[in-house]
Amino acid sequence: MVRILFVCHGNICRSPMAEFIMKALVRSKGLEEMFHIESAAVSDEEWGNPIYPPARRCLSQHGVVFDTSKTARTVTVADYDRFDLVILMDSSNRRWLKRIIPDDPEGKVHMMMMYAGSSRDVADPWYTGDFEETFSDILAGCEGLLDTLVGKV
């Protein structure tokens, strides 16, 4: 089983979008039993809050089913051992993650857009207000990630 943790700043927009987009892609291929997928934040400022309403609307508009009880949580040191991959949305997340998990000896930490063939960050809708752009970035990253992993599982 491949265990994936998607990470963004607050765990109310990008990382939960990635969690549920990836779950939808995995489900569409009948691979649910091969993956465990979660999301978390590098900050605790949104801890306990639900997915941001515009992110929920965007997922719904694209037919992506999500858990309405999902609430933000913060990455822990133990998550490094619990997950095979820690996928970050932007370079700021990488800096924040180093405060929680200083080292990556197993090479588990990756940037989301690398799976979409890009070195840029996932657009942050908290600042841009453009949830469609973020959805497109995350979908491309998740599709690339799944293509990469299906050959390995």
Side-chain angles (χ1 to χ4, degrees):
M1 175 172 287
V2 179
R3 300 177 63 81
I4 304 167
L5 181 66
F6 291 105
V7 177
C8 71
H9 183 79
N11 193 216
I12 60 169
C13 294
R14 293 175 294 170
S15 60
M17 288 175 76
E19 174 184 346
F20 294 110
I21 289 168
M22 188 68 166
K23 285 179 176 178
L25 291 172
V26 165
R27 189 171 38 257
S28 74
K29 295 187 180 301
L31 302 173
E32 300 99 302
E33 293 182 17
M34 298 171 71
F35 292 91
H36 176 83
I37 303 160
E38 290 184 32
S39 64
V42 290
S43 165
D44 64 359
E45 62 196 68
E46 295 291 346
W47 188 90
N49 287 333
I51 301 172
Y52 192 50
R56 292 166 68 115
R57 278 192 298 278
C58 184
L59 290 171
S60 292
Q61 288 168 349
H62 287 277
V64 176
V65 176
F66 57 90
D67 181 353
T68 58
S69 67
K70 164 70 180 165
T71 58
R73 76 168 184 87
T74 307
V75 174
T76 66
V77 173
D79 285 330
Y80 190 81
D81 292 328
R82 288 184 53 230
F83 291 91
D84 302 305
L85 291 169
V86 178
I87 308 296
L88 304 172
M89 299 297 134
D90 66 37
S91 52
S92 173
N93 302 154
R94 184 181 288 277
R95 288 189 301 275
W96 279 70
L97 184 68
K98 285 184 180 278
R99 296 174 185 164
I100 303 165
I101 303 170
D103 298 311
D104 181 20
E106 297 177 46
K108 295 179 177 186
V109 180
H110 301 267
M111 301 301 290
M112 171 64 102
M113 292 307 290
M114 74 175 261
Y115 293 102
S118 175
S119 61
R120 67 180 177 80
D121 292 341
V122 172
D124 189 344
W126 186 260
Y127 299 104
T128 68
D130 190 343
F131 286 84
E132 285 302 316
E133 179 185 17
T134 301
F135 184 91
S136 293
D137 282 353
I138 293 170
L139 179 61
C142 285
E143 288 172 337
L145 174 58
L146 187 56
D147 288 346
T148 299
L149 294 174
V150 167
K152 294 181 180 182
V153 290

